[in-house]
Amino acid sequence: MTAAFPTSQAIVIGGGLAGMTSANTILEFGGRVVVLDKSSFCGGNSSKATSGINGSETRTQKTKGIKDSNDLFLSDTLSGGAKKPEIAKVLVWESGPAVDWLMDKFNLDLSLVARLGGHSAERTHRGKERFPGMTITYALIQMVEKISENSGGTMSRIVTKARATQLIVDKKTVIGVEYVKGGQTLREFGPVIMCSGGFGADFTSDSLLSKYRPDLMHLPTSNGEHCTGDGIKMGEDVGANSLDLEWVQVHPTGLVKVDDPDAKVKFLAAEALRGVGGLLLDAEGNRFANELGRRDYVTGEMWKNKAPFRLCLNKAASDEIIWHCKHYTGRGVMKYYESGEALAKDMGVPVEKLAAAHQQHYEASKKQEADPEGGKWDAYPGGKSHDEPSGKTGVGKKFYHNVITGAQFAKEPFYVAIITPAIHYCMGGLETTKDGECMRNGKALPGLYVAGEAAGGVHGNNRLGGNSLLDCVVFGRVAGRHCAKYAFGEDGKFRPYPIEKRDRDVSQVIIQ
């Protein structure tokens, strides 16, 4: 067996956002690409993402007058859980160009910006309608499909129902992949970008979840059934390093469907629902946490308090994210209440108690506005907080949005969901370099790249909301660029045709 390099073809395993970003990047650089996905259609978990994609110093932020910087975003990401500054810096510094690339190259609407938990500025971008993950991912899928159609399949191909089983290695270099489709074992040759996702839906006895986090096996999951860690295992089989596999994020707001409360797979409430002002209440109507704290923190506080828990959006908050609210209501996982009185009655809690909780929250917001650093409690991600319920947990609230008084509560309409913690995201995976390369014994493993949830080392022990789609786009582009450089050879003479000046200019962000 001989490695055929330089080559013009790259192989992408996984058809979610990371995979489709990698594929589009390979195509931008003049390469050919084949995308393999074991499902009957592409999209993966990326198409379920509901809050948006983070970006600092973006065109949208500048248009809206939002003060943000790469340095501030990097600080938030490191405080949020990331442990490798050199990797986090790529994620952050590439975020603005990534968001602008999506808008420019794919004509996507990312004109709305919200603040999610753990962020010091509004930087999570979404459009006016539909879920951003679906909108972004499908736009990239359609571009690969369009190029395939226009080129007669010579430049790009998407192969579904194709289950990758092992990487092909020659002289310690990955040169292709073997996969099964329709009962046949087939092969593709070229460098491989692993974009196959995590393992948050594999509850079998020999799963990575069972091995590394058996304590979570009883929980529901937000992941599709395809999330079984295949790519991570294939990488390990050829010597690629993995890391942080024990770090599995449990999201606090899995949506409970009242007529099927024990469903193993849960639809997820967008973190943006809290970003626009949604409050969390326990069974007795108490606020118990900073709604904009880290996901692991909010989940931990839920386990200390009494279920069922509710996520409550007043009129101003729900109006700001009304498409989501109506969609959730239509799916039976959120309920509209004409008044706070009706909500209190349904909860079996005195309306006065819920009004008092909203009044306390309102007063804390006003004190924070008047005296930002004079609060009694430590705030997250820094400073001081005037909010007692969250302050007592050590993670005081300092950012407020769409706040109402206690006097408004009884007559105020609400959208409300019952929520429960659910397995959501695997921070661990195949160790990545800042160039998207997989690692083996401390060095880059030739011919193997990784992006998205299959990668380890990007988020550390906790991922901030909005950094998942960002990870897919940033490291999909990074891996795509470096895979193209590797495939074409250092001088690039094997590139089938010249790339546009605009794309060549963009590539200078990483490739000098």
Side-chain angles (χ1 to χ4, degrees), residues 204-372:
T204 58
S205 59
D206 63 345
S207 67
L208 292 173
L209 189 64
S210 175
K211 179 178 180 180
Y212 289 96
R213 292 304 302 269
D215 57 311
L216 302 181
M217 292 284 281
H218 69 287
L219 291 176
T221 182
S222 66
N223 291 264
E225 62 181 12
H226 55 277
C227 296
T228 52
D230 302 353
I232 298 171
K233 294 175 183 176
M234 280 188 283
E236 289 180 327
D237 287 344
V238 298
N241 299 345
S242 61
L243 78 167
D244 296 341
L245 295 178
E246 71 276 16
W247 294 116
V248 177
Q249 184 174 81
V250 177
H251 199 291
T253 58
L255 291 165
V256 177
K257 195 169 185 179
V258 177
D259 59 1
D260 191 14
D262 298 322
K264 192 67 171 175
V265 178
K266 293 281 194 284
F267 203 70
L268 205 67
E271 191 160 323
L273 296 174
R274 285 176 280 145
V276 298
L279 298 186
L280 298 177
L281 302 176
D282 68 11
E284 297 173 345
N286 302 305
R287 282 186 59 241
F288 57 89
N290 177 352
E291 288 84 0
L292 298 179
R294 284 171 39 153
R295 291 174 176 177
D296 53 354
Y297 153 78
V298 177
T299 297
E301 293 305 310
M302 290 173 74
W303 280 333
K304 297 175 186 176
N305 289 277
K306 186 177 180 181
F309 301 98
R310 287 174 171 83
L311 172 59
C312 306
L313 284 83
N314 61 40
K315 186 178 188 305
S318 60
D319 282 351
E320 191 168 325
I321 198 164
I322 194 63
W323 191 92
H324 287 60
C325 292
K326 288 184 175 180
H327 180 85
Y328 295 138
T329 302
R331 293 182 70 105
V333 291
M334 182 171 267
K335 184 175 179 179
Y336 175 73
Y337 292 89
E338 292 185 353
S339 68
E341 288 177 331
L343 170 60
K345 182 178 180 181
D346 202 21
M347 290 179 65
V349 174
V351 67
E352 294 81 8
K353 183 170 185 178
L354 294 179
H358 280 77
Q359 180 63 25
Q360 184 279 330
H361 184 252
Y362 170 80
E363 291 176 2
S365 73
K366 289 301 179 183
K367 290 177 182 177
Q368 196 74 34
E369 182 181 343
D371 186 11

Side-chain angles (χ1 to χ4, degrees), residues 76 116 150 186 190 270 378 462 477 509:
D76 287 345
L116 302 192
N150 291 343
L186 305 168
D378 289 334
N462 180 70
R477 297 180 78 202
V509 178

Side-chain angles (χ1 to χ4, degrees), residues 288-294 297-298 301 304-305 376-398:
F288 57 89
N290 177 352
E291 288 84 0
L292 298 179
R294 284 171 39 153
Y297 153 78
V298 177
E301 293 305 310
K304 297 175 186 176
N305 289 277
K376 180 178 178 180
W377 294 277
D378 289 334
Y380 178 79
K384 290 293 182 178
S385 170
H386 294 270
D387 182 49
E388 182 176 354
S390 63
K392 288 181 175 179
T393 69
V395 184
K397 189 170 185 175
K398 63 183 292 187

Side-chain angles (χ1 to χ4, degrees), residues 1 37 52 59 124 149 175 289 300 393 420 444 470 472 493:
M1 189 185 302
D37 196 293
R59 194 163 63 242
T124 308
E149 181 180 346
I175 64 166
T393 69
T420 189
L470 178 62
C472 289
K493 69 180 181 180

